Amino acid sequence: MATEFAKQQIEAFVQDLNSTKPMPGGGSAAAICGSMAAALAGMSAHMTAGKKKYAAVEDKMQQIMTATKLLQEEMLAMAQEDADMYSLVLQAYKLPKNTEEEAAQRAKAIEEASKTAVVGSLKVTGACVRIMKLAYITVTEGNQMMVTDGSASALLARACQQVAAYNVRINLGGVKDAAVRDEAERMLAGHLSEGEALQAKVLKEVDERL
């Protein structure tokens, strides 16, 4: 059984990326970055909590520490999920289509696998918004010695989001259900718009503090 990405050493994971293996790919790499983005926001909160200077935001930082721990675990799980979903899509496209019945079964399998992949990638784009919101709080209210770590959190989360967005779009190519397509495109546009605005807000705050 293949090693779960979350349990691999960093060097081994990177070596697997730079190989002939179909997985891990861009989606898994992006989710790993998303996990690090969450952890960096948590780091900023950890470095704020317990300090007299920031006593007024102690409860808020404790909440961020809890939230980022959950988000980093969620993103690590998504790294594996992305590879698993890609495997399903590959298997669907490899199904035979020599007869009308086979072609119909193949088309159905592609549709279902593609829908699953779209939903999975949308989970990532949405989670990135949540991470960036936490990064913004740490930058504006947390330890000012950690603002560059807050910017790193937002930048990594935004990069993760953009990669996942491409995965949504490419997998929508296998979805014929117009209602599903429309809803996915609506959700994606919302996530990307919010992510773009949050990144700009975080970086503006960081630049003003440097």
Side-chain angles (χ1 to χ4, degrees):
M1 184 177 180
T3 303
E4 292 180 23
F5 301 142
K7 296 180 181 178
Q8 275 189 297
Q9 291 186 348
I10 294 173
E11 182 180 13
F13 179 81
V14 172
Q15 287 176 343
D16 281 348
L17 282 177
N18 188 12
S19 73
T20 58
K21 296 179 179 180
M23 287 83 74
S28 295
I32 295 294
C33 285
S35 181
M36 291 190 291
L40 282 165
M43 172 188 175
S44 296
H46 275 284
M47 298 299 286
T48 303
K51 292 182 167 53
K52 291 182 179 179
K53 182 178 179 180
Y54 300 102
V57 295
E58 177 70 23
D59 288 346
K60 191 174 291 187
M61 292 300 133
Q62 292 290 339
Q63 291 169 8
I64 290 174
M65 287 155 57
T66 299
T68 53
K69 183 71 164 64
L70 293 173
L71 278 163
Q72 76 183 47
E73 291 172 355
E74 186 177 334
M75 281 295 196
L76 286 176
M78 288 177 182
Q80 191 66 48
E81 187 176 313
D82 179 86
D84 294 341
M85 291 185 303
Y86 182 58
S87 179
L88 287 176
V89 172
L90 283 182
Q91 291 172 26
Y93 275 100
K94 289 179 180 179
L95 290 173
K97 51 179 178 178
N98 300 315
T99 66
E100 287 187 9
E101 183 179 358
E102 285 181 344
Q105 291 175 342
R106 178 178 180 272
K108 182 179 179 181
I110 291 173
E111 177 88 4
E112 293 307 312
S114 297
K115 285 179 181 177
T116 299
V118 166
V119 170
S121 293
L122 282 172
K123 283 168 56 181
V124 175
T125 60
C128 288
V129 170
R130 289 151 56 201
I131 293 169
M132 283 186 271
K133 285 180 178 179
L134 298 176
Y136 180 75
I137 296 171
T138 65
V139 165
T140 55
E141 301 183 46
N143 189 334
Q144 292 303 289
M145 295 296 291
M146 308 300 296
V147 294
T148 55
D149 297 287
S151 69
S153 172
L155 287 166
L156 286 175
R158 177 63 172 159
C160 172
Q161 185 185 60
Q162 290 174 308
V163 173
Y166 279 118
N167 285 341
V168 170
R169 289 167 177 157
I170 194 169
N171 284 303
L172 278 176
V175 178
K176 306 305 179 187
D177 188 321
V180 172
R181 290 180 59 88
D182 290 346
E183 177 62 11
E185 288 169 357
R186 184 193 66 77
M187 288 182 62
L188 179 61
H191 292 166
L192 289 176
S193 177
E194 196 167 4
E196 181 180 18
L198 282 165
Q199 177 184 263
K201 283 176 63 177
V202 170
L203 297 186
K204 180 177 182 294
E205 293 290 342
V206 172
D207 286 341
E208 290 176 355
R209 286 164 168 75
L210 294 180

